[in-house]
Amino acid sequence: MTVTRFAPSPTGYLHIGGLRTALFSYLWAKNRGGKFVLRIEDTDKARNSEEATQAILKAFEWLGLEADGEITYQSQRDEIYAKYIKQLLDEGKAYKCYMSKEELTELRETQMANKQRTMYDGRYRDFSGTPPEGVAPVIRIKAPLTGEILVQDGVKGTISFQAEDILDDFVIARGDGAPTYNFVVAIDDYLMGINEVIRGDDHLSNTPKQIVVYEALGFKIPAFYHVPMIHNSSGKKLSKRDGATDVMDYKEMGYTPAALLNFLVRLGWSHGDQEIFSMQEMIELFNPKDINKSASIYNTEKLDWLNSHYIKNTPNAELAELLTAYDIVLTSHDKKEILLDALKERAKTLKELATLVEEIVTTPSSFDEKAIKKAFKGDAFDVLEAYSTKLSNADELHLPSDYHSLMEEVVSEMEIGFGKIGMPLRVALLGKMGGPNIDVIMAVIGKEETLLRIKNSIRANSLA
Ligand code: GLU
């Protein structure tokens, strides 16, 4: 069975690069009918925090990506790691190194002065003498001294690392017994049954070390897929300066989970020239073999385009629910269908949609000067008064068309162009130009509110 994983270090929020590899891992597991598991790599007590763990879990919840089974926390697995450290020591595959900090610094300085690669020189590898006193030894693994380590990568092909160039007997446990990163990752991936590792290619240099650990412990090596980074439009690694990198900021900005996931799946993966993918399609079509070999480019316009697509295609009841996050309560509004149908084509984000709704449902408290100059001239107030009278006398006003026919009556009775009523009415209702059809606005706010806004606008602007 295919088991994939996402293994974040909880040092801060979940960033979109991480989310993308999590999504790839999730999709592939689901495609294979396998499992997608979550492991929190929280061994670095100084840099990790419970808050960061919670932030990551919250982001997963928002996006509807559910991990299978219990979450594994590395911080709870010290005993397991200790057992494997002991095993390697007993088998002579790891050893204690008593080199002091000073000695290490001295070694590094000499190597640098000689323009050599800085590395451990193996002085305790076969040590059988009396260990020096007062040094808590680190544990080092016996890494191959020569030859090559091959990483079979499903994205990049076979990559050969020369043992002497990249490896030394790296530390697997510190002086205080704490195991190190590459050691625990390999152990956990094996024990958790993970057989396909999809992760960012910033981890590629760790992979040969992890392979050394797999081999020392006799563990089967998983398949690796190292995913190229996401770049900004100038070809640099995506950073905060390029916009949001925290997944939850996208929620805040009004992006929908469907749009964000659709956006991310296309960053570094494609299926012909298809752009829109439902979750079901992503699961059916995704294969890590199709991950691009080169970096992908982050493009906000594309994300906006996808988001407006998803907003347009979200049922209004659901949109009303989503807008509650912006303090817009439309869930029981009897005209929410009319309102949202008129606005959802105009919004790139839920936040924008919230603003558009807000502009309609709130009585304007000020009037745009330019709009007033343009709209409230000539007999504009008479036209508005005439319309008010018609409204007051009508009792069955429900649909936009009901309001529209009254506007037409005024236009024909007063023998004016439609603009002569449309423009002042719009400014009376919204305090400015723009917005959807006026009849829609009136149907949504209703007769009383329409009358009130017309009255307010005449009063406010005749005083001025
Ligand atoms: N914990 C690592 C990180 O957050 C990921 C480790 C891995 O995927 O192997 O970058």
Side-chain angles (χ1 to χ4, degrees):
M1 183 177 46
T2 299
V3 185
T4 65
R5 47 64 155 188
F6 181 50
S9 308
T11 48
Y13 51 75
L14 176 61
H15 59 87
I16 58 155
L19 174 60
R20 182 189 57 159
T21 48
L23 174 66
F24 285 0
S25 304
Y26 175 88
L27 296 175
W28 185 228
K30 300 292 149 184
N31 175 289
R32 307 306 297 157
K35 283 197 172 126
F36 166 71
V37 297
L38 194 56
R39 177 174 74 233
I40 304 292
E41 304 209 313
D42 56 351
T43 48
D44 186 343
K45 293 184 180 71
R47 294 180 63 226
N48 299 155
S49 76
E50 177 56 25
E51 268 156 85
T53 301
Q54 289 313 320
I56 293 168
L57 299 181
K58 218 169 111 194
F60 266 69
E61 196 186 310
W62 173 56
L63 294 156
L65 293 181
E66 218 178 305
D68 293 304
E70 297 268 303
I71 300 172
T72 301
Y73 292 87
Q74 284 188 329
S75 59
Q76 295 168 3
R77 292 165 67 84
D78 280 351
E79 278 176 28
I80 297 172
Y81 308 135
K83 190 186 110 192
Y84 286 105
I85 291 167
K86 182 168 181 309
Q87 180 186 320
L88 290 181
L89 283 171
D90 291 347
E91 291 174 351
K93 292 178 178 166
Y95 59 93
K96 293 180 177 163
C97 168
Y98 292 89
M99 227 170 143
S100 65
K101 272 211 178 77
E102 294 71 33
E103 286 173 313
L104 263 173
T105 314
E106 200 186 306
L107 175 65
R108 177 169 306 126
E109 279 167 3
T110 316
Q111 286 169 335
M112 283 188 340
N114 295 336
K115 303 215 168 4
Q116 289 166 321
R117 181 166 82 89
T118 55
M119 63 183 287
Y120 175 65
D121 61 2
R123 69 179 70 171
Y124 282 95
R125 188 171 164 118
D126 298 306
F127 179 75
S128 55
T130 315
E133 272 175 41
V135 183
V138 299
I139 314 291
R140 290 181 183 273
I141 194 165
K142 284 187 180 168
L145 301 174
T146 55
E148 57 180 359
I149 302 209
L150 296 179
V151 176
Q152 314 284 359
D153 189 88
V155 176
K156 296 173 185 277
T158 303
I159 303 160
S160 157
F161 291 92
Q162 294 304 313
E164 60 223 273
D165 289 344
I166 57 135
L167 292 173
D168 49 18
D169 288 349
F170 57 92
V171 173
I172 57 170
R174 301 196 180 84
D176 61 2
T180 57
Y181 175 71
N182 284 309
F183 184 63
V184 299
V185 168
I187 290 177
D188 286 340
D189 279 343
Y190 173 75
L191 293 182
M192 293 166 74
I194 287 145
N195 43 28
E196 311 223 16
V197 170
I198 302 174
R199 63 182 168 206
D201 69 0
D202 48 340
H203 283 284
L204 188 58
S205 59
N206 289 323
T207 309
K209 291 188 176 178
Q210 292 170 15
I211 288 177
V212 169
V213 176
Y214 280 106
E215 284 179 340
L217 291 168
F219 292 164
K220 188 167 183 301
I221 299 169
F224 291 107
Y225 299 91
H226 288 93
V227 186
M229 297 284 99
I230 303 174
H231 284 175
N232 63 16
S233 49
S234 19
K236 301 243 162 61
K237 207 178 148 195
L238 197 67
S239 78
K240 270 202 157 162
R241 255 168 285 136
D242 303 305
T245 50
D246 176 356
V247 167
M248 291 312 269
D249 283 352
Y250 288 84
K251 178 174 190 228
E252 177 65 33
M253 290 185 290
Y255 292 99
T256 61
L260 186 58
L261 295 177
N262 192 152
F263 174 67
L264 289 179
V265 82
R266 286 284 292 103
L267 283 179
W269 174 83
S270 56
H271 178 74
D273 50 14
Q274 186 172 339
E275 289 293 356
I276 309 271
F277 296 88
S278 67
M279 180 46 92
Q280 202 45 45
E281 282 175 304
M282 287 189 219
I283 290 173
E284 271 161 30
L285 298 171
F286 183 80
N287 188 316
K289 287 198 179 68
D290 301 326
I291 294 173
N292 295 344
K293 287 188 176 26
S294 49
S296 49
I297 309 288
Y298 182 93
N299 174 341
T300 312
E301 288 82 48
K302 176 86 159 288
L303 174 60
D304 286 346
W305 176 76
L306 282 166
N307 206 44
S308 39
H309 167 84
Y310 282 100
I311 289 177
K312 256 183 272 179
N313 289 287
T314 303
N316 292 332
E318 210 176 301
L319 279 181
E321 210 53 71
L322 291 168
L323 289 174
T324 56
Y326 303 89
D327 291 329
I328 299 284
V329 187
L330 286 180
T331 32
S332 55
H333 196 294
D334 64 338
K335 297 291 190 301
K336 65 169 178 282
E337 293 288 332
I338 295 177
L339 177 62
L340 292 173
D341 275 345
L343 298 181
K344 68 208 268 193
E345 301 264 343
R346 297 164 171 257
K348 287 195 299 286
T349 64
L350 290 170
K351 200 171 184 167
E352 276 180 23
L353 183 60
T355 308
L356 293 175
V357 172
E358 183 88 32
E359 283 171 359
I360 290 174
V361 298
T362 322
T363 317
S365 52
S366 64
F367 294 85
D368 177 66
E369 276 194 35
K370 264 202 195 140
I372 286 171
K373 275 216 180 95
K374 236 173 138 184
F376 289 179
K377 58 183 183 204
D379 52 1
F381 288 165
D382 297 338
V383 177
L384 288 177
E385 298 280 12
Y387 189 62
S388 285
T389 312
K390 292 231 175 260
L391 282 180
S392 310
N393 296 334
D395 33 44
E396 288 296 323
L397 291 171
H398 300 293
L399 297 174
S401 54
D402 300 333
Y403 289 86
H404 196 85
S405 33
L406 294 185
M407 288 169 74
E408 273 170 351
E409 283 179 25
V410 173
V411 165
S412 83
E413 284 162 21
M414 296 183 79
E415 295 181 358
I416 52 174
F418 208 85
K420 284 264 183 322
I421 182 167
M423 230 196 299
L425 198 45
R426 179 174 295 285
V427 176
L429 294 168
L430 300 179
K432 59 178 190 176
M433 300 291 191
N437 287 349
I438 327 172
D439 48 13
V440 165
I441 301 172
M442 292 188 286
V444 168
I445 63 176
K447 174 173 152 178
E448 294 313 319
E449 175 70 13
T450 302
L451 284 169
L452 177 78
R453 290 192 193 182
I454 294 175
K455 204 165 99 193
N456 282 351
S457 72
I458 295 178
R459 199 178 40 213
N461 296 295
S462 13
L463 291 178

